[in-house]
């Protein structure tokens, strides 16, 4: 049984669970045990009844006679993480220590901080948290498992990835100078991930402009104009059109 006076949990990419300085992910009870543990981690701010946990692990069509299986699974999980971390019988709650680090939570928090700094024009302060959000969300969440609640979290993390990269690119553009090539690189990657998101195109255009590549910036704008016209029947935003007029001027 792990003594969890500290906790570090990585759910994206390779599963890593460190409690009290000990790695315990290999001791979790098979695939269903890892799935249950991940669900408890992602919902650790509230209590969950057994019916919810049953559906999370075994699916919506799990029959009522699967409840004993869930009880056995919870018992095995308690023997690994410690009974004090999983109190309750009818309702279960994962009680991690206050200083617990969970990569998904770090990504969400990093995105919030990054977007706040970008909104204030605090480019240097935005860089770090944007990188955390982007890099964590770029790794697959429990890749070998398939559940509707995982799909919801994966969609959420896909949005975090795009917005984190957007903050990353904006921060590098705002810092200017030697970071402009990185702003350009991030903007091109952002366009690949979200081709209809105008922010990536705008950052790329402005990065190219600041580097003296005005003709290429005009080509980026024209490609966006054609894309929006042909696919959506619309035109670039007024803000982008203003930048376009500036380039032409």
């Amino acid at each position: 049984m792990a003594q969890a006076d500290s906790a570090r949990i990585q759910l994206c990419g390779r599963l890593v669970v460190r409690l009290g300085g000990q790695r315990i992910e290999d001791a979790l009870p098979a695939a269903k045990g890892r799935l249950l543990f991940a669900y408890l981690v992602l919902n650790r701010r509230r209590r969950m009844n057994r019916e919810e946990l049953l559906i999370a692990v075994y699916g919506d069509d799990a029959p009522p006679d699967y409840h004993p299986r869930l009880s056995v699974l919870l018992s095995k999980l308690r023997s690994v993480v410690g009974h004090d971390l999983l109190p309750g019988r009818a309702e279960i709650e994962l009680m991690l220590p206050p200083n617990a680090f969970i990569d998904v939570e770090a990504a969400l928090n990093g995105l919030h901080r990054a977007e706040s700094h970008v909104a204030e024009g605090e480019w240097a302060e935005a860089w770090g948290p944007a990188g955390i959000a982007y890099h964590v969300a770029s790794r697959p969440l429990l890749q070998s498992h398939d559940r509707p609640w995982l799909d919801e979290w994966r969609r959420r993390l896909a949005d975090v990835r795009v917005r984190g990269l957007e903050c990353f690119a904006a921060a590098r553009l705002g810092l200017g100078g030697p970071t402009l090539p990185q702003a350009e690189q991030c903007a091109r990657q952002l366009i690949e991930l979200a081709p209809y998101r105008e922010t990536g195109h705008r950052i790329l255009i402005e990065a190219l402009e600041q580097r003296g590549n005005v003709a290429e910036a005009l080509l980026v704008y024209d490609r966006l104009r054609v894309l929006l016209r042909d696919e959506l029947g619309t035109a670039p935003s007024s803000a982008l059109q203003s930048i376009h007029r500036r380039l032409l001027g």
Side-chain angles (χ1 to χ4, degrees):
M1 182 177 66
Q3 299 299 316
D5 55 343
S6 64
R8 188 174 183 87
I9 299 170
Q10 177 181 301
L11 298 177
C12 296
R14 180 182 178 184
L15 177 65
V16 176
V17 183
R18 187 185 297 274
L19 297 179
Q22 300 180 35
R23 291 278 296 270
I24 65 166
E25 63 271 11
D26 290 339
L28 294 174
K32 291 290 190 293
R34 292 190 289 273
L35 197 63
L36 174 59
F37 180 75
Y39 189 83
L40 290 166
V41 170
L42 291 172
N43 295 277
R44 71 184 184 102
R45 305 296 184 184
R46 63 184 181 87
R47 299 180 69 84
M48 292 152 277
N49 60 45
R50 287 175 174 262
E51 189 66 31
E52 178 183 348
L53 296 179
L54 184 74
I55 293 173
V57 175
Y58 296 102
D60 292 329
D61 55 350
D65 58 7
Y66 269 39
H67 275 284
R69 298 189 183 191
L70 178 64
S71 296
V72 171
L73 195 61
L74 279 168
S75 179
K76 291 181 178 179
L77 188 58
R78 284 189 174 107
S79 69
V80 175
V81 304
H83 290 258
D84 56 330
L85 291 191
L86 281 177
R89 296 182 61 85
E91 293 187 329
I92 311 297
E93 183 178 6
L94 182 62
M95 303 291 292
L96 293 175
N99 63 345
F101 172 87
I102 299 168
D103 62 345
V104 173
E105 293 180 4
L108 295 172
N109 181 57
L111 177 62
H112 173 72
R113 290 189 291 123
E115 290 183 333
S116 297
H117 288 308
V118 168
E120 296 295 328
E122 298 167 347
W123 310 121
E125 291 81 0
W127 190 315
I132 292 173
Y134 171 72
H135 289 298
V136 170
S138 295
R139 298 193 295 263
L141 175 68
L142 295 182
Q143 191 172 17
S144 59
H145 297 279
D146 184 20
R147 287 288 182 271
W149 58 269
L150 277 174
D151 292 337
E152 293 177 9
W153 273 101
R154 286 165 182 156
R155 286 191 291 270
R156 188 175 179 183
L157 287 169
D159 180 62
V160 170
R161 183 188 184 196
V162 170
R163 290 162 61 189
L165 182 60
E166 184 177 82
C167 291
F168 218 19
R172 289 171 167 176
L173 177 67
L175 289 170
T179 66
L180 286 175
Q182 296 169 328
E184 179 182 336
Q185 179 184 5
C186 288
R188 293 187 187 278
Q189 190 174 354
L190 182 58
I191 292 170
E192 289 182 9
L193 289 176
Y196 298 99
R197 198 178 185 97
E198 285 197 2
T199 313
H201 300 273
R202 177 186 60 77
I203 293 174
L204 177 57
I205 289 169
E206 292 191 308
L208 289 168
E209 178 190 18
Q210 291 187 37
R211 298 185 71 193
N213 298 318
V214 175
E216 189 175 354
L218 286 168
L219 285 174
V220 172
Y221 177 88
D222 197 57
R223 283 195 293 267
L224 173 64
R225 180 188 61 79
V226 172
L227 174 69
L228 294 179
R229 182 198 64 193
D230 293 350
E231 298 294 331
L232 302 178
T234 187
S237 66
S238 58
L240 264 176
Q241 291 181 41
S242 177
I243 294 173
H244 181 242
R245 288 193 296 270
R246 184 180 75 215
L247 293 172
L248 291 174

